[in-house]
């Protein structure tokens, strides 16, 4: 079983920053592409960003480009989401996801991922 454990969420004022972490309980972490999704109350879960096995390729939703950065550390089996210039519209539960299926434009779809974390709440006040 692959388990993903997320942390780093919290309450922050608009314009502030947060860094989320997701630790994967899988030995071959470098073989997995990783992604972040988010879900606001009453809304569907939406794609935020994804990163390939080596960290050389990434995708970002238009709404977070220039503000959010995804990265990974194979030694720590961890993927990060650095969030800067946060807006109230960023308020949501953020979910980490993993897949061994490859890395292409399908990474923007929820169906591409095999494993999901429990989610961590991010609240941005105005």
């Amino acid at each position: 079983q692959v388990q993903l454990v997320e942390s780093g969420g919290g309450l922050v004022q608009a314009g502030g920053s947060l860094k989320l972490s997701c630790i994967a309980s899988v030995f071959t972490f470098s073989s997995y592409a990783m992604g972040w999704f988010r879900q606001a109350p009453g809304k569907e879960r939406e794609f935020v960003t994804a990163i390939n096995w080596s960290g050389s390729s990434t995708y970002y939703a238009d709404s977070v480009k220039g503000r959010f950065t995804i990265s990974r550390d194979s030694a720590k089996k961890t993927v990060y989401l650095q969030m800067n210039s946060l807006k109230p519209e960023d308020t949501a539960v953020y979910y980490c996801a993993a897949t061994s299926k490859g890395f292409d434009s399908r990474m923007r779809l929820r169906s591409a991922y095999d494993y999901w974390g429990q989610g961590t709440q991010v609240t941005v006040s105005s």
Side-chain angles (χ1 to χ4, degrees):
Q1 296 293 317
V2 175
Q3 295 183 334
L4 307 176
V5 180
E6 304 158 355
S7 62
L11 176 65
V12 64
Q13 291 184 317
S17 299
L18 283 174
K19 187 174 184 178
L20 307 183
S21 299
C22 173
I23 301 174
S25 62
V26 54
F27 182 78
T28 56
F29 177 74
S30 61
S31 298
Y32 287 80
M34 306 292 295
W36 288 96
F37 287 73
R38 66 187 183 185
Q39 187 168 21
K43 303 294 180 63
E44 294 185 1
R45 191 171 300 187
E46 66 175 355
F47 172 77
V48 177
T49 182
I51 190 167
N52 73 340
W53 309 271
S54 66
S56 61
S57 296
T58 58
Y59 291 115
Y60 290 94
D62 290 340
S63 60
V64 305
K65 286 181 179 177
R67 300 189 299 120
F68 291 11
T69 303
I70 188 172
S71 61
R72 64 190 297 160
D73 186 329
S74 295
K76 297 180 178 180
K77 298 181 179 180
T78 303
V79 62
Y80 304 96
L81 180 63
Q82 177 66 51
M83 304 183 294
N84 299 325
S85 302
L86 283 163
K87 305 174 181 179
E89 306 92 269
D90 297 318
T91 295
V93 177
Y94 283 70
Y95 297 90
C96 177
T99 181
S100 61
K101 299 175 182 176
F103 191 80
D104 54 35
S105 61
R106 292 174 294 177
M107 299 301 101
R108 298 178 182 272
L109 305 176
R110 295 187 296 273
S111 60
Y113 296 86
D114 304 306
Y115 308 100
W116 294 85
Q118 80 286 357
T120 184
Q121 177 70 48
V122 172
T123 302
V124 184
S125 64
S126 59

